[in-house]
Structure formats: structure tokens, C-alpha cells
């Protein structure tokens, strides 16, 4: 503040570095008063003070104080009036601001700056003026082309780079100008300086393609010439020039088959028929170009520098789709690159093969298999992953190649256990793409799989799981293959969690389970399971192949219609059995929950890792429990969610322990865990009903702890909203305590004092918190929903028209939903657009605790795209909190808790535009 008057009184004195740093500290401070900023601006804009440092300060002023941006711009423009380096630096400063889009550089100023005495300033202008400012294209072209003859090599290179940028604007209709620029670049291909030749190669590629596009009749001729000129540079002495030459080859759109094949042969190939059709001059020109092209790609792939080899592989990425014959010949060279010392080169070679496979140009032969499949056991994980991407889409011609691929994938699985999920996915794609070979594999491995499951010795073997994936992937999409025994689908059900990822690209876990259950049932007629020809031995159907799907809880409506029965139709002895089972489950749940309070003292001592390990064991134990009665499912679901909440609470509590203070916890990590804990508790309070007063008080106290933890940590953002929620829940706790005449815990008492004082020192009450013993009385019911969309997947989408609403045919099943529940269908797009549809329960008919109905939901804002994927979920509005963070127009007032897994609904556009 005191420096400014002193600066004004010493206007003729240059500013010292100390003063400049003091000024900058004022400029970057958003609280600096405007009078001070005005005084600083006047000081900086005095003619004697315009230096490189003051230009930077003017830029800081415009960036940090937008109200002064126009004044700062005017000062910077004043500095561009003289053709000096300072003027160029001023333009560079302007380019850092938001003005260049609307700033037009007049012809006189542009030319004077380009012809100024400063060589670095001239280089900057030639490189960047065309990109950053509005300059007349004709003037820019003339200046840039003229400076290609400048005596300074870096000026020549900068002018060529400017021409590359000018070609991207595509403002030229004069073919003679394009041809002149192209020919000038050809002359500079022989320049003595590497930097010039690099830029000249770029100009030849960009302006050469522009020249070929200017005349449709001559396009093939010019493309061949450009290809030949670029190939002539792949033997340049500079490694960077060679890399740039191959980068230019990757941009080619049309090249004759003869030139492409010539690039793979170091010996000049002579096409006698074609030579006879040409006159002498044309024939000689063709031979000259062919000589330049000869062996160009081979030379690049045999380079000593990995950068050149990578660039050569990348050029094949484009060239292989121009000719099937060329792609077949180039594949031999690409296979050799899979043995390259550089990981970068191997990855690029595989990426090129993947692109060839997508375009149907990858024709694998027997001679390629050893080198090609060897990448599956490469030391680099990225290389193995890239190889499996190719196997997922490539077409193998015969059974021997199919078997070899499976054997190598098995080696990959044995050597690198961390690749299991992606290897299983590769097995699934191989089975789907080669259905005719799957039967042979099943015939050879059926006894091995059967022995593993009956003997139980290799029940969890990755090899057995892989063989099952191949077997069950062939009959997908309702294609019947009588060669797969139904028992294999029964075996696959037992490994559902492990093999699910192999099919996650086409179906979710519920759909996979339904598919396995359906296929595991023997057909109604007698049919052989494996039949490869007359006289071959057939595998009979095995009795009892159909698994007991009822215990899995998720069954397709058509598959399970004859398996599931209503509870009221059960025999009396089964009802008694379920009641006894439910009593055992209640005892088991209370036994598990009773262990949690005993662990809290261990947490206070800082041994959180041991507690977390024990809690996770309890969670795993609960996850493995399976019962048939619905009440048992509700009790286990509650206990499992409660344990998950306690695990999250312990993980968050670690941040409060003094012993853990030395550990570095990121703000994002803590905020993420607090948010997850908040969502879990809301899910517990909203999706379970029938709590006793004691159980409800326990749940509410957990919510209070969560909000107190949020307010205790400085990382929390929405302090006001969290404080309102805390106050609302505390009121609920007070109400319950009055009704029950129960004494509050020390934590609740101290929290009440803090709320009365409006204090945010919540660490005081958190020190008094201890986990209470939770007694489960068995009256809790789980609110849940099931949502299914019939006859729809990524391969069978619904039609839609852009801009018109679409309908979503939903089959909905609700469990234990009571009348005061508010249900919403949440429909979302990937771009963040969300639409809510209210489900009025009074309009739906159901008996007992289960309601089943069909509902057609509309979605209005369909985008202009070829396809559309909607994500649909049934959600429940949280009504226990009397605080509404967001008031959505036409949507839910409070936060939502999902009642089912999100379903994807696929559509395709039927517009004929």
C-alpha cells in the first residue's frame, strides 16, 4: 500500500526487482482495493517503465481483476506499436488472456512485427500469429512463404510450421497457391538443418493432401506422389525427420496397391502390364517414385531407434485398411514387432492389429500363431491386455487355431492370476464368436469338469471356470446348440460371482443367473447333448441337472414361474420349518451384533486394523448365509448393512485418533467415506421398517455421530445444511426419549449442550461416544423392489425418434412397501440429465406384502443421436429427515435411496435422415 505513492513521485526511476515483486503480491491478492490497483496501473503504463516484467504484471492484473482487463489490454496494445521484441512479448501476453478470439491484428502491425529486428520475436510471430489472432489468410500465406527463404534456419522452420497451421484453416481455393507451397516444401526437404526438414515434411503431408483434394481426377496421382516423397525421407540422417515422415504416411487417404506393396519390398517390383500402358516419360517417373518407395516400411520397422519403429507401426494403422493384399503382407512384419525390445513398440503393433481386426483386415494364419499368442505371456500387463482385446474380436479359421488360443489363454491365467477377470472375458468372446468349435472343446473337457465338481478337489480352479465360460457362452441370445450338456450350466451357477465379469458387457448378474437357470433344465424331448457326427459317442443328459433356483432370490419371471410358489400355498409343515428357521436366524444375528460394542474399546486404543479385520470376517460370515424364508432374508439383510455401517464408522474414526495423527489422510478420502457412511445409514433408516423404540434410538444416535463427524472435520463443505440435519435428528431423539422415559447417553447430553450453545466444537461430544449393544427383536421388514425390462438388451434395443418421448415398459415387484412410502422412478442419461416419474401406489393392485404390476414410464428429452441408453432405478424418498436440501421442480423433495439395482434400457434411432 505504501509503495504506490513512492512510485508516482519517482516516475523517471526504473522499478527495482523488490518493488516489482511487491506490486505482484498486491495484484494477485483479490482483496487489494481498486484505488491501489488504479495507481499501480498508472505506474506500470508509463513509457519509461514498459519492460518484460511490467508486461507480465499487466497480464496478472487482467487475469486476477477482470474489471481492469480492458485497461490492461489497451496498455499491452500500446506496446505493440513499435516493431521490437517487447511488442511481440506484449502480443504473447494478450494471447494468454481471453481476448484473442475477438482481436484482429491489422496488416501493417503484423508485417512490421514479422520484419522486426528481433529474431526470437519473428519466430514467435511466424509460428503463432495465424493460430492466436485474426490475420488475413492471403497476407499470412505470402509472408510465411517468403520467410521460407530466410537465412536463419529457425525462422525457415517457424514459417513452415505456420504454413502447417494455415493448411488446417482450409481457406484456399486457388490451386496454384497450394501447389506452389507444396513445391517449396519439397525443395526444403534437402535443407541442411534438421529442424527445417522436420517442418518441411509436415508441410508436404498437409499441403500435399490439400492438393490431392483439389482435383478429383488427379487425386490418385497426387496421393501417390506425396506417399513417395514421404517415403524418400524415411532414410534421412535425423531420427526426428524419420519419425515425422512416418507420421505423415499415417495421414494418407489413397495410395495405389503397387506403391503399398513396393514399400514392403527393398527390391523394385516391375508391373510389366502397367509399364506397357504408360508412355516413356510416365514410365520413367513411375520407376523413380517406386525407387523412393522401395522398402520404406521395412526400413522403419528395422530401425535402431524405438521412436521410429513405433511411428512405422502407427503408419500401418491407416495404410493396412487401403488394401487387403497389403494388409496380409504387412501382417508378417507386424508379427516380428511383437518380439521387439521396447514395450512401446509392442503395444503399438498390437494396437495396429486391433484396428485391422475391427476393419476385417486381420487374417491370421497358422504361421502367425506362435508369435501372436506369445504376447499373452508377456511380462508387461498392458501388452497382455492389448493381445486379449484382439482375441475378443478376431475370427479364427480352423479348430487348431482355436485350441491354440485357448491353451495360451490358460497359460496366461496360470502365470498371471491378476489377469483372471479379463482372461475370462476373452474366453467368453471366443465362445460367442466361434460357436462351431465350442462343441469339440466341450467333448474333450466334459469329463475333466465333471470330475472336478464331483470330487470337489479343483472346485475353485481357474481352469475349470474358464472351461465353463467357453461352454455356456456359445448358446447365448437364444441360439440352441444341442451339444452343451445342461449340467454345465448348473455348475456355472455355483461360480456365478466369479464368472460374471466375462458376460458383464451384455448382461447384468441377474440376467446371467436367469439364463443359466433356463439352460440348466433338460429339454422336454430326448436329444443328445453332444453330437459331432454319426457314430460318435454322445454324452447323455444327467438327471437332476436343474439347480434349486429358489434359494438364489433372483429368477426370471418366465424361468421361475413354475418353481416359485406363494407363501400361503406352502404346506403347514414348511411354515413351521420357516418359523423355526427364522428364530435361529434372529439368535444368530443378535450373536453377531453383540460383538460390535466389545470392539469399541479396542478402537479407542488405536488398534483399528484388528477391529476392521474382525468386522470384515463377520460381514463375510453373514454374506454366506442362505435361507428360504422371507423373514430370514430381511433379518440377514439388516445385519449385513449394519455391519457395513460399523466398518465405515471405524474407518472414519481413524482420522480422530491421536495415534493416527502422523498418517496422511487426503481430504477427498475422508469426504468420500463420510458421504458413504451417510448414505448407508439413510438406507438403513429408509428401507427397513418395524423398529422398536430402542432400535430406532440406536439408529438415530448413529446418524448423530455421522453428522457430528462431518462438522468436526474442517473438510466438510455444506456446514449449514449438515447443522440443520443434525438439529432435526436431535429433535427426533428427544421425542423418542420423552416417550420411553429413558435416560440419554453421555454423547447425546453433551451434543445437546453444544447445540444449545450453537458451538461447533463437536470433538467434545465425540470423545464420549461408545457403541451401544444392539438387540434385534425380529420385527424388522425390508423394503425392496425388483425391476425388469423385458425383451431389451444391447443387441435387441427398442426403437426411438430423436426429439420425441419414449416409453419404458417396466415390470415392477415391490416387497413390504407401505402406503405412506413415496416411490420414484429415476431415469438418467450419461450426460447427467435426470428425470423423475412418481409411482402412485394407490393405482396399483397387490395382495399381502408383495405387489406386482406393469408400468410404462415416459422419458421426454431424447437426444439427437444414433443410439440411446437410459438408466432406470426405483428409489424411495427419505422422509425421516425434515430437511430438504434441494427443491426439484416436479421431482422428489427429499433425498432418494435406491431400492433395486439400476437397469439399462437400450434404444436405437429409426430416423431416416
Amino acid at each position: 500500500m505504501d509503495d504506490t505513492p513512492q512510485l508516482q513521485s519517482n516516475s523517471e526511476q526504473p522499478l527495482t526487482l523488490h518493488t516489482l515483486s511487491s506490486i505482484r503480491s498486491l495484484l494477485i491478492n483479490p482483496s487489494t482495493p481498486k484505488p491501489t490497483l488504479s495507481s499501480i496501473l498508472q505506474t506500470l503504463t508509463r513509457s519509461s517503465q514498459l519492460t518484460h516484467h511490467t508486461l507480465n504484471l499487466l497480464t496478472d492484473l487482467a487475469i486476477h481483476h477482470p474489471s481492469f482487463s480492458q485497461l490492461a489490454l489497451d496498455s499491452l496494445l500500446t506496446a505493440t506499436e513499435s516493431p521490437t521484441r517487447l511488442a511481440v512479448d506484449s502480443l504473447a501476453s494478450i494471447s494468454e488472456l481471453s481476448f484473442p478470439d475477438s482481436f484482429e491484428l491489422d496488416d501493417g502491425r503484423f508485417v512490421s512485427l514479422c520484419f522486426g529486428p528481433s529474431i526470437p520475436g519473428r519466430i514467435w510471430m511466424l509460428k503463432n500469429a495465424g493460430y492466436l489472432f485474426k490475420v488475413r489468410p492471403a497476407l499470412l500465406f505470402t509472408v510465411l512463404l517468403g520467410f521460407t527463404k530466410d537465412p536463419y534456419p529457425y525462422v525457415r522452420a517457424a514459417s513452415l510450421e505456420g504454413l502447417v497451421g494455415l493448411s488446417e484453416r482450409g481457406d484456399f481455393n486457388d490451386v496454384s497457391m497450394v501447389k506452389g507451397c507444396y513445391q517449396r516444401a519439397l525443395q526444403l526437404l534437402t535443407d541442411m538443418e534438421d529442424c527445417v526438414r522436420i517442418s518441411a515434411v509436415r508441410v508436404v503431408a498437409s499441403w500435399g493432401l490439400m492438393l490431392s483434394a483439389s482435383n478429383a481426377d488427379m487425386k490418385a496421382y497426387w496421393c501417390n506422389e506425396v506417399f513417395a516423397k514421404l517415403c524418400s525421407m524415411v532414410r534421412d540422417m535425423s531420427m526426428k525427420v524419420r519419425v515425422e515422415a512416418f507420421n505423415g504416411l499415417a495421414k494418407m487417404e489413397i495410395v495405389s496397391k503397387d506403391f503399398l506393396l513396393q514399400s514392403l519390398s527393398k527390391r523394385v517390383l516391375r508391373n510389366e502390364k502397367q509399364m506397357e500402358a504408360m508412355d516413356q516419360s510416365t514410365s520413367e517417373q513411375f520407376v523413380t517414385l517406386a525407387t523412393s518407395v522401395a522398402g520404406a516400411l521395412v526400413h522403419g520397422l528395422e530401425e535402431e531407434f524405438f521412436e521410429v519403429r513405433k511411428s512405422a507401426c502407427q503408419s500401418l494403422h491407416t495404410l493396412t485398411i487401403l488394401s487387403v493384399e497389403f494388409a496380409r503382407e504387412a501382417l508378417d512384419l507386424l508379427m516380428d514387432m511383437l518380439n521387439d525390445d521396447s514395450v512401446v513398440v509392442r503395444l503399438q503393433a498390437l494396437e495396429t492389429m486391433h484396428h485391422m481386426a475391427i476393419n476385417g483386415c486381420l487374417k491370421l494364419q497358422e504361421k502367425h500363431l506362435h508369435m501372436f499368442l506369445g504376447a499373452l505371456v508377456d511380462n508387461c500387463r498392458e501388452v497382455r491386455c492389448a493381445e486379449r482385446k484382439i482375441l475378443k474380436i478376431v475370427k479364427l479359421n480352423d479348430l487348431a487355431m482355436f485350441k491354440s488360443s485357448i491353451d495360451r489363454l490358460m497359460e496366461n491365467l496360470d502365470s498371471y492370476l491378476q489377469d483372471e477377470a479379463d482372461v475370462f472375458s476373452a474366453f467368453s468372446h471366443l465362445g460367442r464368436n466361434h460357436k462351431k468349435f465350442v462343441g469339440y472343446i466341450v467333448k474333450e473337457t466334459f469329463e475333466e469338469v465333471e470330475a472336478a465338481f464331483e470330487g470337489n478337489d479343483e472346485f475353485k480352479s481357474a481352469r475349470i471356470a474358464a472351461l465353463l465360460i467357453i461352454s455356456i457362452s456359445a448358446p447365448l441370445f437364444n441360439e440352441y446348440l444341442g451339444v452343451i450338456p445342461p449340467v454345465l450350466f448348473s455348475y456355472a451357477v455355483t461360480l456365478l460371482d466369479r464368472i460374471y465379469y466375462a458376460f458383464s458387457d451384455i448382461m447384468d448378474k441377474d440376467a446371467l443367473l436367469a439364463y443359466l437357470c433356463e439352460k440348466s433344465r433338460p429339454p422336454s424331448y430326448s436329444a443328445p447333448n453332444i453330437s459331432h457326427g454319426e457314430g460318435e459317442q454322445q454324452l447323455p443328459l444327467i438327471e437332476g441337472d436343474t439347480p434349486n433356483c429358489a434359494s438364489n432370490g433372483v429368477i426370471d419371471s418366465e424361468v421361475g414361474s413354475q418353481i416359485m410358489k406363494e407363501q400361503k400355498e406352502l404346506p403347514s409343515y414348511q411354515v413351521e420349518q420357516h418359523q423355526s428357521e427364522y428364530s435361529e436366524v434372529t439368535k444368530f444375528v443378535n450373536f453377531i451384533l453383540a460383538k460390535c460394542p466389545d470392539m469399541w474399546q479396542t478402537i479407542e486404543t488405536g488398534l483399528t486394523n484388528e477391529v476392521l479385520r474382525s468386522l470384515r470376517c463377520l460381514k463375510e460370515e453373514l454374506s454366506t448365509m442362505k435361507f428360504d424364508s422371507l423373514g430370514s432374508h430381511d433379518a440377514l439383510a439388516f445385519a449385513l448393512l449394519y455391519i457395513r455401517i460399523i466398518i465405515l464408522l471405524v474407518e472414519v474414526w481413524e482420522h480422530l485418533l491421536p495415534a493416527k495423527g502422523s498418517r496422511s489422510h487426503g481430504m477427498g478420502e475422508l469426504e468420500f467415506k463420510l458421504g458413504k457412511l451417510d448414505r448407508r445409514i439413510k438406507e438403513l433408516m429408509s428401507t427397513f421398517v418395524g423398529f422398536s423404540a430402542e432400535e430406532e434410538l440406536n439408529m438415530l444416535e448413529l446418524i448423530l455421530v455421522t453428522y457430528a463427524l462431518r462438522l468436526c472435520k474442517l473438510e466438510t463443505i455444506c456446514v449449514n445444511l449438515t447443522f440443520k440435519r443434525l438439529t432435526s435428528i436431535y429433535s427426533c431423539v428427544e421425542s423418542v426419549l420423552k416417550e420411553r422415559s429413558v435416560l440419554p447417553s453421555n454423547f447425546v447430553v453433551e451434543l445437546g449442550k453444544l447445540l444449545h450453545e450453537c458451538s461447533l466444537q463437536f470433538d467434545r461430544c465425540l470423545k464420549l461416544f461408545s457403541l451401544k449393544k444392539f438387540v434385534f427383536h425380529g420385527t424388522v421388514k425390508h423394503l425392496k423392489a425388483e425391476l425388469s425390462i423385458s425383451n431389451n438388451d444391447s443387441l435387441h434395443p427398442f426403437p426411438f425418434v430423436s426429439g420425441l418421448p419414449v416409453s419404458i415398459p417396466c415390470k415392477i415387484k415391490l416387497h413390504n412397501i407401505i402406503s405412506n412410502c413415496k416411490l420414484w422412478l429415476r431415469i438418467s442419461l450419461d450426460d447427467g440429465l435426470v428425470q423423475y416419474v412418481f409411482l402412485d401406489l394407490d393405482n396399483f393392485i397387490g395382495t399381502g406384502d408383495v405387489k406386482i404390476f406393469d408400468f410404462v414410464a415416459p422419458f421426454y428429452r431424447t437426444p439427437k443421436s444414433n443410439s440411446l441408453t437410459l438408466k432406470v432405478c426405483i428409489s424411495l424418498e427419505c422422509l425421516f429427515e425434515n430437511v430438504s436440501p434441494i427443491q426439484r421442480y416436479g421431482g422428489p423433495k427429499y433425498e432418494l435411496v435406491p431400492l433395486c439395482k439400476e437397469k439399462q434400457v437400450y434404444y436405437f434411432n429409426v430416423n431416416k435422415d
Side-chain angles (χ1 to χ4, degrees):
M1 293 290 294
D2 296 331
D3 289 343
T4 306
Q6 183 179 358
L7 291 173
Q8 292 175 341
S9 62
N10 300 293
S11 59
E12 301 301 326
Q13 302 249 351
L15 299 177
T16 64
L17 292 178
H18 175 72
T19 304
L20 290 171
S21 63
S22 300
I23 291 176
R24 188 174 189 277
S25 64
L26 291 171
L27 292 178
I28 64 177
N29 185 357
S31 302
T32 301
K34 287 189 176 182
T36 303
L37 295 174
S38 300
S39 178
I40 290 174
L41 180 62
Q42 294 175 7
T43 302
L44 294 177
T45 53
R46 291 198 305 271
S47 59
S48 61
Q49 303 292 339
L50 283 177
T51 63
H52 300 287
H53 297 298
T54 55
L55 291 179
N56 292 333
L57 292 175
L58 286 171
T59 305
D60 290 336
L61 176 63
I63 293 174
H64 296 284
H65 302 279
S67 59
F68 287 86
S69 58
Q70 189 60 46
L71 295 174
L73 175 63
D74 295 339
S75 302
L76 291 171
L77 289 176
T78 303
T80 65
E81 295 176 354
S82 59
T84 61
R85 175 63 190 275
L86 187 66
V88 177
D89 289 344
S90 179
L91 282 177
S93 299
I94 293 174
S95 68
E96 297 178 7
L97 306 177
S98 59
F99 300 103
D101 291 338
S102 58
F103 179 70
E104 185 171 354
L105 197 61
D106 61 84
D107 295 352
R109 186 177 300 179
F110 171 69
V111 173
S112 64
L113 290 175
C114 287
F115 284 91
S118 172
I119 300 300
R122 185 185 307 169
I123 292 174
W124 190 93
M125 287 297 300
L126 294 174
K127 271 188 175 182
N128 301 293
Y131 289 101
L132 300 176
F133 305 102
K134 291 182 180 180
V135 182
R136 246 181 347 109
L139 174 65
L140 184 60
F141 176 83
T142 304
V143 172
L144 291 174
L145 194 61
F147 274 106
T148 59
K149 298 182 180 181
D150 194 274
Y152 292 99
Y154 286 103
V155 174
R156 298 198 298 275
S159 63
L160 289 170
E161 292 295 331
L163 287 171
V164 173
L166 188 60
S167 69
E168 297 174 357
R169 295 169 61 172
D171 295 335
F172 294 94
N173 297 321
D174 191 342
V175 179
S176 61
M177 294 177 64
V178 178
K179 188 174 181 180
C181 182
Y182 170 71
Q183 291 177 343
R184 177 57 186 153
L186 289 181
Q187 296 172 6
L188 292 176
L189 290 178
T190 57
D191 196 278
M192 295 295 293
E193 299 295 332
D194 295 351
C195 63
V196 179
R197 296 199 304 278
I198 291 172
S199 299
V201 168
R202 293 175 183 160
V203 175
V204 168
S206 57
W207 286 82
L209 291 177
M210 190 188 301
L211 182 60
S212 67
S214 64
N215 190 338
D217 296 333
M218 296 292 291
K219 183 171 185 178
Y221 169 79
W222 286 116
C223 283
N224 285 336
E225 178 171 312
V226 173
F227 181 77
K229 296 302 181 183
L230 292 174
C231 285
S232 67
M233 300 303 294
V234 301
R235 297 177 181 84
D236 192 272
M237 295 299 293
S238 170
M239 181 268 290
K240 293 182 178 179
V241 174
R242 299 196 295 273
V243 169
E244 200 57 50
F246 283 111
N247 290 342
L249 291 176
K251 301 175 183 177
M252 300 305 300
E253 299 174 354
I254 298 176
V255 183
S256 70
K257 183 181 70 173
D258 294 328
F259 274 13
L260 287 173
L261 294 175
Q262 183 64 76
S263 67
L264 299 178
S265 174
K266 295 181 179 180
R267 179 174 60 87
V268 177
L269 305 175
R270 297 181 66 86
N271 189 333
E272 298 299 337
K273 292 183 179 180
Q274 187 174 4
M275 299 290 288
E276 291 175 1
M278 301 178 182
D279 55 33
Q280 184 176 356
S281 60
T282 307
S283 176
E284 291 176 356
Q285 184 182 12
F286 182 84
V287 172
T288 302
L289 293 178
T291 304
S292 301
V293 173
L297 289 171
V298 177
H299 184 84
L301 295 174
E302 294 176 349
E303 256 280 352
E304 61 174 318
F305 295 100
F306 78 89
E307 295 92 341
V308 181
R309 299 197 301 274
K310 175 183 180 293
S311 185
C313 290
Q314 194 170 9
S315 67
L316 288 173
H317 190 278
T318 303
L319 298 176
T320 49
I321 66 175
L322 301 179
S323 169
V324 176
E325 186 177 351
F326 171 75
R328 185 171 62 250
E329 297 293 334
L331 185 58
D332 296 339
L333 298 175
L334 279 174
M335 288 297 170
D336 294 334
M337 305 312 295
L338 296 182
N339 203 28
D340 196 277
D341 294 335
S342 171
V343 174
V344 175
V345 177
R346 298 200 300 274
L347 281 172
Q348 184 59 58
L350 288 170
E351 184 178 337
T352 300
M353 292 183 195
H354 184 259
H355 187 259
M356 292 170 65
I358 292 175
N359 290 277
C361 303
L362 186 63
K363 307 297 181 183
L364 288 177
Q365 303 175 30
E366 191 73 30
K367 62 180 180 179
H368 299 142
L369 281 187
H370 177 72
M371 190 69 71
F372 176 70
L373 296 176
L376 287 172
V377 290
D378 194 280
N379 291 330
C380 177
R381 181 176 182 178
E382 288 77 13
V383 171
R384 299 193 303 272
C385 183
E387 171 77 5
R388 291 191 294 267
K389 284 175 62 179
I390 301 173
L391 278 176
K392 290 178 182 180
I393 59 176
V394 73
K395 293 292 184 181
L396 303 175
N397 297 327
D398 54 52
L399 180 61
M401 297 174 67
F402 183 72
K403 287 183 177 180
S404 298
S405 301
I406 289 177
D407 291 341
R408 277 306 179 97
L409 279 171
M410 290 295 185
E411 290 182 31
N412 182 185
L413 198 56
D414 292 338
S415 303
Y416 302 96
L417 298 178
Q418 65 271 27
D419 294 352
E420 180 178 294
D422 197 43
V423 172
F424 282 175
S425 179
F427 276 121
S428 174
H429 283 81
L430 276 176
R432 290 180 238 166
N433 298 334
H434 303 85
K435 299 178 185 296
K436 59 182 179 180
F437 298 144
V438 171
Y440 296 93
I441 301 299
V442 173
K443 180 181 178 182
E444 293 179 1
T445 60
F446 178 77
E447 293 183 358
E448 178 185 356
V449 175
E450 188 178 36
F453 276 85
E454 289 183 356
N456 223 20
D457 52 346
E458 297 183 23
F459 186 77
K460 295 184 179 180
S461 166
R463 173 180 172 81
I464 299 302
L467 292 174
L468 284 174
I469 289 171
I470 297 174
S471 303
I472 67 177
S473 61
L476 280 172
F477 314 123
N478 296 323
E479 296 183 21
Y480 173 73
L481 288 182
V483 298
I484 312 299
V487 69
L488 294 181
F489 296 92
S490 301
Y491 292 155
V493 170
T494 63
L495 299 178
L496 180 65
D497 288 334
R498 189 172 188 181
I499 68 176
Y500 158 65
Y501 182 81
F503 303 91
S504 60
D505 60 319
I506 56 174
M507 61 177 68
D508 57 21
K509 189 182 294 186
D510 296 347
L512 178 60
L513 176 60
Y515 161 73
L516 294 176
C517 292
E518 181 181 11
K519 294 296 181 181
S520 63
R521 293 187 298 176
S524 57
Y525 56 88
S526 179
N529 290 92
I530 296 186
S531 177
H532 302 298
E534 295 183 3
E536 293 189 6
Q537 185 177 1
Q538 298 176 349
L539 293 176
L541 292 173
I542 298 177
E543 245 181 89
D545 284 347
T546 307
N548 181 13
C549 301
S551 62
N552 292 287
V554 183
I555 300 178
D556 183 85
S557 59
E558 296 180 0
V559 176
S561 60
Q562 298 180 2
I563 299 175
M564 296 290 289
K565 295 183 178 180
E566 295 292 338
Q567 187 174 1
K568 63 182 181 180
E569 298 179 357
L570 293 176
S572 58
Y573 74 91
Q574 291 188 10
V575 174
E576 294 176 0
Q577 180 181 357
H578 287 172
Q579 291 176 349
S580 175
E581 179 184 283
Y582 183 59
S583 176
E584 293 180 6
V585 170
T586 303
K587 293 179 181 178
F588 175 74
V589 168
N590 281 323
F591 174 74
I592 293 292
L593 299 181
K595 296 182 179 181
C596 297
D598 298 336
M599 299 178 184
W600 199 255
Q601 292 182 351
T602 309
I603 295 173
E604 295 292 347
T605 60
L607 301 176
T608 54
N609 289 334
E610 288 75 4
V611 174
L612 286 173
R613 193 179 300 114
S614 301
L615 288 170
R616 286 167 183 148
C617 289
L618 294 178
K619 186 182 75 171
E620 292 297 325
E621 191 173 353
L622 283 169
S623 302
T624 58
M625 299 291 292
K626 298 291 182 182
F627 293 97
D628 292 332
S629 64
L630 294 177
S632 300
H633 283 300
D634 293 348
L636 290 175
F638 170 81
L640 186 59
L641 183 56
Y642 183 83
I643 293 296
R644 286 173 176 166
I645 290 172
I646 301 304
I647 290 175
L648 285 170
L649 182 62
V650 175
E651 290 176 350
V652 172
W653 203 268
E654 277 188 300
H655 296 257
L656 301 177
L657 297 177
K660 301 290 182 178
S662 59
R663 290 179 53 181
S664 176
H665 292 282
M667 181 180 66
E669 178 189 358
L670 177 58
E671 196 66 32
F672 171 76
K673 290 180 179 178
L674 282 169
K676 193 173 181 180
L677 177 61
D678 189 15
R679 290 191 300 271
R680 291 290 191 191
I681 294 181
K682 287 178 180 176
E683 180 182 353
L684 190 70
M685 288 294 296
S686 301
T687 60
F688 290 90
V689 295
F691 288 121
S692 64
E694 183 182 355
E695 292 169 340
E696 184 179 1
L697 191 61
N698 202 327
M699 296 296 98
L700 292 173
E701 192 164 325
L702 282 177
I703 300 177
L704 290 176
V705 171
T706 302
Y707 290 153
L709 285 169
R710 274 189 172 276
L711 294 170
C712 178
K713 304 304 294 182
L714 297 177
E715 293 87 343
T716 188
I717 301 173
C718 304
V719 176
N720 292 334
L721 178 60
T722 306
F723 192 84
K724 289 180 181 178
R725 287 174 168 171
L726 179 65
T727 305
S728 174
I729 298 300
Y730 182 79
S731 300
C732 295
V733 171
E734 283 186 325
S735 176
V736 174
L737 290 173
K738 288 179 181 179
E739 291 178 1
R740 295 281 298 177
S741 300
V742 179
L743 291 177
S745 64
N746 295 333
F747 164 74
V748 174
V749 172
E750 186 63 28
L751 179 62
K753 294 178 181 177
L754 292 173
L755 292 177
H756 181 71
E757 298 170 1
C758 295
S759 173
L760 294 179
Q761 297 178 356
F762 291 98
D763 52 339
R764 286 164 41 190
C765 64
L766 288 172
K767 294 178 181 178
L768 301 176
F769 174 77
S770 61
L771 200 61
K772 291 183 179 180
K773 183 178 179 180
F774 191 97
V775 180
F776 182 75
H777 295 93
T779 58
V780 174
K781 289 186 177 182
H782 188 195
L783 310 186
K784 58 184 178 179
E786 298 176 26
L787 173 65
S788 62
I789 312 293
S790 300
N791 304 319
N792 180 266
D793 55 39
S794 57
L795 298 179
H796 303 89
F798 294 144
F800 84 102
V801 177
S802 297
L804 296 182
V806 296
S807 61
I808 308 173
C810 304
K811 292 183 178 294
I812 299 176
K813 186 176 183 180
L814 305 178
H815 297 268
N816 302 317
I817 302 297
I818 53 181
S819 58
N820 62 342
C821 291
K822 290 187 178 181
L823 298 187
W824 296 84
L825 267 184
R826 185 182 187 274
I827 310 171
S828 62
L829 281 172
D830 289 336
D831 60 1
L833 176 65
V834 180
Q835 176 186 305
Y836 298 94
V837 178
F838 181 66
L839 295 177
D840 191 351
L841 298 179
D842 295 334
N843 296 331
F844 306 124
I845 301 174
T847 58
D849 295 332
V850 179
K851 291 184 178 182
I852 303 176
F853 55 89
D854 294 336
F855 180 75
V856 178
F859 182 80
Y860 297 101
R861 301 181 63 179
T862 53
K864 293 182 179 180
S865 60
N866 294 329
S867 61
L868 168 65
T869 302
L870 298 177
K871 298 177 181 178
V872 186
C873 179
I874 303 175
S875 300
L876 174 67
E877 199 167 349
C878 297
L879 301 178
F880 69 91
E881 280 187 332
N882 193 21
V883 177
S884 177
I886 299 175
Q887 182 66 46
R888 302 183 181 92
Y889 177 74
K893 182 179 179 181
Y894 301 100
E895 291 189 25
L896 297 179
V897 173
L899 293 181
C900 66
K901 292 184 178 179
E902 204 170 52
K903 293 286 184 181
Q904 289 188 337
V905 190
Y906 302 92
Y907 296 85
F908 76 97
N909 199 333
V910 295
N911 283 351
K912 303 299 182 181
D913 296 341

